[in-house]
Amino acid sequence: YSSILDDQFCTFSTFLKAQEGSRRRETRITFDRDSRKLSYLERDLVKNTVVLSKEMDIPECVHDVVGALNRLRALRPEPGQVVHLPMSDGKKLVTARIEAQEREEIGTPLGKFKTIRYEAFLFNNVLYSRKGRLFVWISDDERRLPVQIRVRLQLYIGTITLQLEKES
């Protein structure tokens, strides 16, 4: 996955190359600010066919998930505050609600961090149809490091937790 962002973390383009078993897909999303259009193109690399091609109107600044995380880090909302960010996965455009919930100390392989826990409301037919919850813990210091990300899905997998292991 690759994402090109501006200094406000608005997305210019994303590229995703995915392989799941014998399935191979390539997805390109271009965000054109001048025309205020988003172009989505998903290709099946095995069959050499277009799976989905679409265009939609967008506001001047739209974030992908990576850009939204970085914008959240820059905004620094305090517990009790709510932020709304325009987001798109290329198929759908939403104004995502992100709630700053509370301060917590989180232990990772890199050590303990004082953090603020945020919940991003992207599942349950908001941006993604799948039922689930997304939590992000960002360090409560000048670095604003994403220390932990947890996705709770109603699947066999259950919960996926990503933790910060090293800082470079």
Side-chain angles (χ1 to χ4, degrees), residues 11-147:
T11 308
F12 282 118
S13 66
T14 65
F15 175 76
L16 172 67
K17 193 167 188 175
Q19 183 172 344
E20 302 168 28
S22 62
R23 183 176 147 167
R24 292 177 44 226
R25 299 276 172 98
E26 191 174 270
T27 305
R28 291 182 191 276
I29 308 169
T30 306
F31 299 76
D32 186 335
R33 284 192 186 166
D34 295 332
S35 67
R36 295 206 176 182
K37 297 274 185 195
L38 174 150
S39 298
Y40 178 93
L41 179 64
E42 182 178 351
R43 297 186 54 78
D44 182 321
L45 299 177
V46 174
K47 297 177 183 174
N48 195 26
T49 58
V50 172
V51 176
L52 179 62
S53 176
K54 71 183 287 186
E55 190 173 272
M56 73 171 80
D57 294 327
I58 57 170
E60 186 176 343
C61 177
V62 178
H63 305 284
D64 68 335
V65 175
V66 173
L69 174 60
N70 282 300
R71 184 71 182 139
L72 179 64
R73 291 174 63 204
L75 289 173
R76 307 182 64 89
E78 291 290 317
Q81 293 180 319
V82 174
V83 174
H84 293 90
L85 296 176
M87 292 182 65
S88 180
D89 64 353
K91 298 178 192 173
K92 195 172 184 182
L93 175 68
V94 302
T95 301
R97 180 170 164 255
I98 303 169
E99 194 177 274
Q101 294 182 329
E102 64 181 280
R103 286 184 163 79
E104 291 183 15
E105 187 170 273
I106 296 292
T108 74
L110 193 57
K112 289 190 178 189
F113 293 87
K114 291 183 179 184
T115 68
I116 297 176
R117 183 186 72 221
Y118 299 92
E119 184 169 3
F121 296 89
L122 300 178
F123 290 97
N124 307 317
N125 289 316
V126 176
L127 187 59
Y128 306 112
S129 59
R130 183 165 288 167
K131 292 183 184 225
R133 295 178 76 184
L134 172 62
F135 297 94
V136 178
W137 288 261
I138 297 177
S139 66
D140 193 14
D141 59 18
E142 287 305 309
R143 298 174 301 168
R144 300 284 294 157
L145 297 171
V147 172

